[in-house]
Amino acid sequence: MDPTGAGRLRGFRAPAADEVPGPSTGSGNVVDRAGDVAGVDVVEAGPPVQERSRRKGSWRWLVVAGAALVVAVVVIATLAFRLGSVTAASDASSPSPTPTPAPTATPLAVPDLYTRVVPSVVLITTSKGSLGSGTVVTDTGTILTANHVVSGGGDLTVVFADGTKAPATVATSNPAQDTATLVPQKLPEVVVPAALGGGVVVGADVVALGNPLGLQDSTTSGIVSGLGRTSRTDTGTVRGLIQFDAAVNPGSSGGPLLDAQGLVVGVVVSIADPGKDDAFAGIGFAVPIGAALGGGGDGPGPGGGPQI
């Protein structure tokens, strides 16, 4: 039979030497070794059914996982968009408050403040009967006080917090600001200068230390009631003063006015006295520490401002 003719068996291979022809089926079909039947197209065998099933299953899982990932991304994006819209609307309707500046230092309780500063406060007396207070402001013992306490003349005596008593002389004074500095002739065993501060604001807490009516090392507290005040006294008019409501009385003049950190922010110089009886009427005045130190002065005795 011509293998190229019309009657050739499709898909039939010539048997190899080691192949044995299969038995005749009686119908004229010839079966090869692989089980091919003559007259039937032979298709190359693919992977086994189980392997194909596994591959199809893997592809299904990949498709499902990919779809789930896409859905998750869409859901997250939608939620984020809605949340952003709600936040933006809330921000637009409710403006953010301005942050409150943090305080620069921790305020001290009055007992702690008193314990820290009272070693720097001195009692001042004169042979002419004046009584006042002062503050040690340098490690060499320089004392800052009110000028009217020491301007009347007479011998000056200072008593330190530890009981040390010593004569003193006026180093500098500034009558316009009612401030002066003293130099004691003897110092206590331990000199404790007070720390000097800066400006104050209305409403700030303040503490006054001094010797009202001779009651040594007294303390009172209050707030700053006003700034830039003017006080008219028997010794002159002083401007640019701190008004405060901590109780002070005769003998408090020259003592320190402290802020909440225990820094000296003023020198107590006078009180409002509408009854002309030297009694505290709820208003005291202090020279700001900047003005007390800014008077200049270069020599001993009256005329120049405090120079610390």
Side-chain angles (χ1 to χ4, degrees):
M1 181 182 298
D2 183 2
T4 62
R8 68 184 179 88
L9 295 177
R10 295 177 60 193
F12 180 82
R13 296 185 292 115
D18 56 346
E19 294 182 13
V20 179
S24 174
T25 61
S27 62
N29 290 334
V30 180
V31 181
D32 65 8
R33 187 182 58 175
D36 293 337
V37 179
V40 179
D41 286 335
V42 177
V43 180
E44 185 176 356
V49 174
Q50 292 181 355
E51 184 178 351
R52 289 199 301 271
S53 298
R54 285 195 299 270
R55 290 184 179 179
K56 289 181 179 180
S58 300
W59 279 106
R60 289 193 189 98
W61 279 111
L62 289 175
V63 171
V64 171
L69 179 61
V70 171
V71 172
V73 170
V74 172
V75 170
I76 292 173
T78 302
L79 292 176
F81 176 79
R82 290 181 179 178
L83 180 61
S85 299
V86 172
T87 303
S90 177
D91 291 343
S93 60
S94 302
S96 299
T98 302
T100 301
T104 56
T106 303
L108 296 175
V110 174
D112 296 332
L113 186 151
Y114 175 83
T115 301
R116 174 180 295 187
V117 182
V118 74
S120 305
V121 179
V122 302
L123 170 70
I124 302 172
T125 59
T126 73
S127 58
K128 297 291 185 72
S130 292
L131 172 69
S133 305
T135 309
V136 177
V137 291
T138 70
D139 55 7
T140 58
T142 301
I143 297 168
L144 179 63
T145 187
N147 183 65
H148 73 266
V149 173
V150 298
S151 62
D155 297 330
L156 302 178
T157 301
V158 296
V159 181
F160 293 90
D162 68 348
T164 301
K165 184 181 295 187
T169 57
V170 176
T172 61
S173 66
N174 184 349
Q177 290 292 336
D178 197 9
T179 53
T181 59
L182 309 179
V183 176
Q185 297 181 10
K186 179 182 178 182
L187 296 177
E189 183 176 351
V190 178
V191 177
V192 183
L196 305 182
V200 293
V201 295
V202 174
D205 293 329
V206 287
V207 171
L209 292 181
N211 308 289
L213 307 178
L215 299 172
Q216 193 169 358
D217 299 335
S218 296
T219 183
T220 55
S221 63
I223 64 168
V224 174
S225 304
L227 299 172
R229 303 305 196 198
T230 298
S231 176
R232 295 175 175 83
T233 68
D234 294 339
T235 59
T237 299
V238 184
R239 295 177 172 82
L241 300 175
I242 300 169
Q243 176 190 338
F244 61 93
D245 66 357
V248 288
N249 285 284
S252 297
S253 289
L257 185 69
L258 311 171
D259 66 11
Q261 285 75 46
L263 305 178
V264 179
V265 294
V267 179
V268 176
V269 291
S270 64
I271 59 175
D273 187 17
K276 304 299 181 182
D277 54 2
D278 292 337
F280 180 63
I283 297 176
F285 298 104
V287 177
I289 191 64
L293 301 180
D298 57 2
Q307 186 177 45
I308 297 174

